[in-house]
Amino acid sequence: MTSKNVNQPIAGWPILLLLYFNRSVNTHIELQKKLFLSFAKEKAIIPYNFKRNDYGPYDKNIKVDSLFLDSQNLIDVTIFIDPNTAMTKRMTFKINEKGDKYVEENLLTVYEKQAKKIKNIVKFCEGKSWQQIVKLVYEDYDKDREILKVKIPEL
């Protein structure tokens, strides 16, 4: 029996882990905020550079990576279009069976420490209102007004 080895991490592995523990996320903003909290509160080492934005910390690569994961059939992204403007109104994210299997076979061992930190944030956010989550983000976000940099973990 050969052991599984991830030679190169799949883009968006933190998104996969977050959705594995959370099962689904209702908006792109919620996805951004929970990944930021994983970094800020749990000190998870994830490959995103959160920059200042009017709506809090933001990294455009989270959206890019989520669409990549959708194209690989590891998660299901639903895009709601505003009929008046033809612009994206909202996106929802849900891990599927193939994504679950990928996480279990590849990510839980390789990113064990980061997975625990992301799982802690998912549990921490359970039962909290959207306003409470946003408040938690701004508590950490306001401490450092510089660009928040995060490094890719060493394997």
Side-chain angles (χ1 to χ4, degrees), residues 6-147:
V6 178
N7 294 329
Q8 185 143 11
I10 189 166
W13 62 265
I15 297 166
L16 272 173
L17 286 171
L18 184 114
L19 291 174
Y20 180 78
F21 297 120
N22 207 83
R23 305 313 303 158
S24 65
V25 173
N26 290 320
T27 67
H28 181 257
I29 295 168
E30 180 183 350
L31 186 62
Q32 292 270 349
K33 300 227 182 301
K34 285 186 176 178
L35 286 171
F36 174 76
L37 286 172
S38 297
F39 161 72
K41 290 219 172 287
E42 286 291 321
K43 308 301 183 217
I45 300 170
I46 55 178
Y48 297 114
N49 294 316
F50 294 96
K51 297 182 180 181
R52 293 195 63 73
N53 185 284
D54 291 342
Y55 300 103
Y58 179 80
D59 185 328
K60 67 180 178 183
N61 290 319
I62 293 173
K63 186 175 183 179
V64 170
D65 287 352
S66 66
L67 294 174
F68 169 75
L69 294 171
D70 183 48
S71 76
Q72 300 300 302
N73 296 315
L74 295 169
I75 67 171
D76 300 318
V77 177
T78 305
I79 301 172
F80 299 89
I81 304 292
D82 184 327
N84 299 321
T85 63
M87 304 279 293
T88 300
K89 185 175 182 179
R90 185 168 70 98
M91 298 171 73
T92 62
F93 309 86
K94 183 177 181 184
I95 196 163
N96 58 34
E97 191 175 316
K98 184 178 175 185
D100 280 337
K101 185 176 179 180
Y102 184 86
V103 169
E104 290 164 0
E105 292 180 355
N106 298 287
L107 301 182
L108 290 177
T109 342
V110 173
Y111 295 110
E112 182 179 3
K113 290 180 182 176
Q114 307 319 314
K116 286 179 183 176
K117 293 174 181 187
I118 291 170
K119 183 178 183 179
N120 287 344
I121 283 301
V122 169
K123 286 185 173 187
F124 180 74
C125 290
E126 282 177 3
K128 289 188 174 40
S129 70
W130 176 244
Q131 290 79 15
Q132 290 171 313
I133 292 171
V134 170
K135 184 178 179 186
L136 291 167
V137 167
Y138 281 103
E139 283 174 2
D140 286 316
Y141 186 57
D142 288 339
K143 287 179 187 172
D144 184 3
R145 296 213 172 254
E146 298 298 316
I147 294 172

